[in-house]
Amino acid sequence: LAKTTQPISMDSYEGQEVNITCSHNNIATNDYITWYQQFPSQGPRFIIQGYKTKVTNEVASLFIPADRKSSTLSLPRVSLSDTAVYYCLVGENFNKFYFGSGTKLNVKP
Amino acid sequence: GAVVSQHPSRVICKSGTSVKIECRSLDFQATTMFWYRQFPKQSLMLMATSNEGSKATYEQGVEKDKFLINHASLTLSTLTVTSAHPEDSSFYICSASITGGEVPYGYTFGSGTRLTVV
């Protein structure tokens, strides 16, 4: 079973900041939190990964509270090309990942 | 970064025939690979875990005799859909476990194979 819960869908407009929250109440001590992006008919693509606090890279930020039971992916100034499904996964290295429903982000002009 | 090459990207086959999908890790060794299936507008469903040099581990409900997995080398895993039927039509994706670099702990995914059985 998937260990994460996300909103099924979100709408946004170009130029806005989008925050997608994921719940993972049963996260284990050794689990990392990883976010992937998937476009139709393509494999998931890595966005960002973190263990605690805040992580930022060139495309997104990941906020993880102290209890690590949730995480928030922040996409600054989204564009139409950010329309995709975003998956939050938690797990330990070399362990299999079960995908949750993901969040379908629809960016409107 | 670590790249997984999946081939073919799309294939159409006749009902009753078998189809092989290849997943290769480029520039790194993948002792563990995973195979997923994704139906339209649904999430990825884990089918099996492929371990180099040993038998694959299948998820509950996945027929091991229908979905043959071979992981004979550290860079290649194959999924063969045997006696394919229209209900096997789906998007198949492989992934490899990686460490270090951009993704400290996680997986890199292939580009997927669209299988259509007619």
Side-chain angles (χ1 to χ4, degrees):
Chain A
L1 294 176
K3 297 161 60 174
T4 61
T5 303
Q6 303 174 232
I8 295 296
S9 64
M10 293 182 67
D11 289 333
S12 182
Y13 290 93
E14 281 192 292
Q16 288 187 331
E17 177 185 78
V18 171
N19 296 309
I20 305 174
T21 297
C22 177
S23 296
H24 29 80
N25 292 318
N26 297 318
I27 188 169
T29 302
N30 294 331
D31 286 345
Y32 276 69
I33 301 159
T34 313
W35 284 79
Y36 290 88
Q37 176 191 57
Q38 187 184 28
F39 296 112
S41 296
Q42 293 186 26
R45 187 181 72 169
F46 170 85
I47 301 175
I48 198 166
Q49 182 178 79
Y51 183 81
K52 61 180 180 180
T53 62
K54 176 183 175 181
V55 180
T56 298
N57 62 21
E58 63 275 12
V59 298
S61 294
L62 178 60
F63 299 91
I64 305 169
D67 66 4
R68 303 199 330 121
K69 293 183 182 298
S70 66
S71 59
T72 299
L73 173 71
S74 181
L75 304 173
R77 299 179 298 282
V78 295
S79 63
L80 294 176
S81 62
D82 293 317
T83 293
V85 179
Y86 293 82
Y87 293 98
C88 158
L89 281 79
V90 297
E92 186 180 0
N93 194 28
F94 295 115
N95 286 346
K96 49 190 175 183
F97 279 162
Y98 294 100
F99 280 76
S101 62
T103 298
K104 186 177 189 327
L105 173 64
N106 183 29
V107 180
K108 303 175 183 178
Chain B
V3 175
V4 169
S5 175
Q6 189 171 342
H7 179 81
S9 59
R10 57 179 62 238
V11 58
I12 300 174
C13 72
K14 291 184 177 181
S15 185
T17 62
S18 296
V19 173
K20 179 184 286 187
I21 302 170
E22 293 187 349
C23 183
R24 293 181 183 273
S25 59
L26 306 182
D27 301 325
F28 73 100
Q29 294 181 335
T31 56
T32 304
M33 289 188 175
F34 304 89
W35 288 94
Y36 293 85
R37 179 167 55 182
Q38 186 175 34
F39 292 108
K41 300 188 184 302
Q42 293 186 23
S43 183
L44 285 77
M45 184 184 75
L46 179 66
M47 297 176 67
T49 301
S50 170
N51 297 296
E52 186 270 334
S54 64
K55 291 183 177 180
T57 304
Y58 292 82
E59 294 297 306
Q60 189 173 7
V62 178
E63 301 175 59
K64 62 179 182 180
D65 294 330
K66 181 169 186 62
F67 300 100
L68 301 180
I69 292 173
N70 184 282
H71 194 158
S73 77
L74 288 171
T75 59
L76 174 65
S77 176
T78 61
L79 169 67
T80 301
V81 183
T82 63
S83 187
H85 291 286
E87 57 265 32
D88 298 323
S89 298
S90 188
F91 191 57
Y92 293 86
I93 308 169
C94 67
S95 71
S97 180
I98 57 174
T99 57
E102 184 182 17
V103 185
Y105 296 97
Y107 302 86
T108 185
F109 290 83
S111 55
T113 297
R114 173 73 60 192
L115 170 63
T116 303
V117 184
V118 298

